[in-house]
Amino acid sequence: MNLGIVGQAAGLFAVTNIDDILILALFFAQGAGRRGVAVRIVAGQYLGFLALVAVAVAAGFGATFLPGALIPYLGLLPLALGVKAAWQAWRNRRDGDDGDPDGEPPGGPRALEVAAVTFANGGDNIGVYVPVFATAGPGGTGGYVAVFLVLVGVWCAAGRLFATRPLVARALSRWGHVLLPVVLIGLGLLILVEGGAFGL
């Protein structure tokens, strides 16, 4: 693999995914101390990113599975998940419930929730990746995708590291249940408004 492609891919990934580190940190903080949550977050991040890359690669080579007019409506995914997280935080606070009731799955985000947020947040990335993949050809595209997949792991590690720094961990432990819904709802609204969904 050519070092030029590695550098370009790394730069492209960093620029288009910088906001994911904050979202990942919030997810890791939400699942702190719960077994298996880190694996679900990493799996969800990879699943969502693979879906993004698959759509971008297909579009780069002429297939259009996701019409451009649909991309702004991806904002409904994080918006719905943010409303759900806000409802759960409000319900737990009202009930004074700090743990999970018996019979419910372990707390923290599920892999498909993380994947949905990753895909929705990266909807605009598709527009950036498509022309790059179209001009890179199959070999170059393979190089970009390989670098991207390595960097998804680096991003997950950075999000977890960020969430476990003592000062940040204390803040996220205290305010994470408020921040996660706010960030997800804000992200959803931003995607909807910037994309012109519903004539906004």
Side-chain angles (χ1 to χ4, degrees):
M1 188 184 317
N2 164 331
L3 283 180
I5 286 182
V6 171
Q8 290 168 11
L12 182 61
F13 182 90
V15 167
T16 55
N17 293 287
I18 195 69
D19 52 342
D20 277 352
I21 291 179
L22 171 63
I23 295 168
L24 282 166
L26 287 168
F27 280 141
F28 280 116
Q30 185 187 31
R34 300 173 195 260
R35 273 189 357 197
V37 172
V39 172
R40 292 199 312 257
I41 293 169
V42 172
Q45 185 72 7
Y46 268 102
L47 185 62
F49 196 80
L50 282 170
L52 269 177
V53 167
V55 169
V57 167
F61 291 104
T64 53
F65 297 117
L66 193 62
L70 182 63
I71 291 175
Y73 296 97
L74 292 175
L76 293 171
L77 292 171
L79 182 63
L81 291 170
V83 168
K84 178 185 171 196
W87 169 254
Q88 288 173 336
W90 179 79
R91 189 184 64 192
N92 289 343
R93 182 178 181 140
R94 188 194 65 190
D95 296 342
D97 181 15
D98 293 328
D100 290 319
D102 291 334
E104 283 194 7
R110 292 174 182 82
L112 287 178
E113 292 173 343
V114 176
V117 170
T118 301
F119 188 79
N121 188 34
D124 56 339
N125 294 11
I126 294 171
V128 176
Y129 297 161
V130 167
V132 171
F133 293 164
T135 56
T141 297
Y144 274 94
V145 171
V147 172
F148 285 178
L149 293 179
V150 169
L151 290 176
V152 167
V154 172
W155 247 234
C156 289
R160 186 165 189 186
L161 180 71
F162 187 60
T164 56
R165 297 303 87 206
L167 183 62
V168 175
R170 280 195 299 274
L172 290 177
S173 172
R174 182 172 179 158
W175 297 105
H177 67 287
V178 173
L179 284 175
L180 183 65
V182 167
V183 168
L184 291 178
I185 290 169
L187 177 64
L189 291 173
L190 185 67
I191 293 168
L192 289 168
V193 170
E194 284 190 347
F198 306 115
L200 298 174

